[in-house]
Amino acid sequence: MVYSSSIILTIIGNITMFFFATNPETSNPYVVIACACLTGFSGSLNSVSTTVMLADTVDYGEYKTGLRTDSIVFSMQTMTVKAGSALAGFLSGIVLTAVNYVPNIAQSDETLIGLRLCMFILSSILQLVVLFIYLKFYKLHGDYFKSILNQLIINRSKDLAKE
């Protein structure tokens, strides 16, 4: 719920920014500030939710394999964030080239529209894809996850009794 909400809030902030904050005819500094606060808040929710979901996957891994792999999961998360940042930098360069961005000069209207489309609309579309994947495939919540946690408690109790 929190993760889905964070994505939806980001999309709302992006779409609002595209139509009402970055358009010279409709730009309003209060809307810009509100959108920045909304996307910043949603980014915080997203970050915290991702960390909690990682912890849930550790529990799921223990449930499936009997091994608890906290260190591997969290170190891989750090590596994938760094790899994702590198990929984002690479794709940003491609986007800047595609919209004919030229540094240190006033940009054409077409370039500015292209930048706005990529920053707000394309990123919102990608967020929708992420939301779809999450809703379709992430099942570690609700009764299913409670049953996993209950089984882990039973398994750990049995292990303690053996010692």
Side-chain angles (χ1 to χ4, degrees), residues 25-151:
E25 291 88 34
T26 61
S27 185
N28 179 326
Y30 298 111
V31 174
V32 172
I33 292 168
C35 289
C37 289
L38 182 64
T39 56
F41 175 70
S42 64
S44 299
L45 290 176
N46 190 295
S47 181
V48 170
S49 298
T50 302
T51 303
V52 170
M53 289 189 297
L54 277 174
D56 293 345
T57 62
V58 170
D59 290 334
Y60 181 73
E62 182 182 1
Y63 170 73
K64 283 299 212 183
T65 66
L67 301 172
R68 190 152 184 94
T69 57
D70 307 55
S71 58
I72 293 170
V73 170
F74 282 95
S75 63
M76 287 300 297
Q77 187 266 349
T78 302
M79 188 189 81
T80 57
V81 166
K82 290 179 182 186
S85 295
L87 180 62
F90 174 71
L91 293 176
S92 295
I94 291 173
V95 166
L96 290 174
T97 301
V99 298
N100 298 317
Y101 176 82
V102 180
N104 303 318
I105 66 164
Q107 303 303 315
S108 69
D109 288 341
E110 293 80 20
T111 298
L112 293 174
I113 289 169
L115 287 171
R116 288 176 52 225
L117 284 169
C118 289
M119 288 171 58
F120 303 116
I121 303 302
L122 180 60
S123 65
S124 293
I125 291 168
L126 293 174
Q127 288 281 342
L128 282 173
V129 170
V130 169
L131 181 61
F132 172 78
I133 291 169
Y134 169 74
L135 293 174
K136 179 88 173 148
F137 297 106
Y138 188 81
K139 303 298 181 197
L140 300 180
H141 50 78
D143 291 336
Y144 177 65
F145 190 62
K146 286 177 187 173
S147 69
I148 289 173
L149 294 177
N150 289 334
Q151 186 61 47

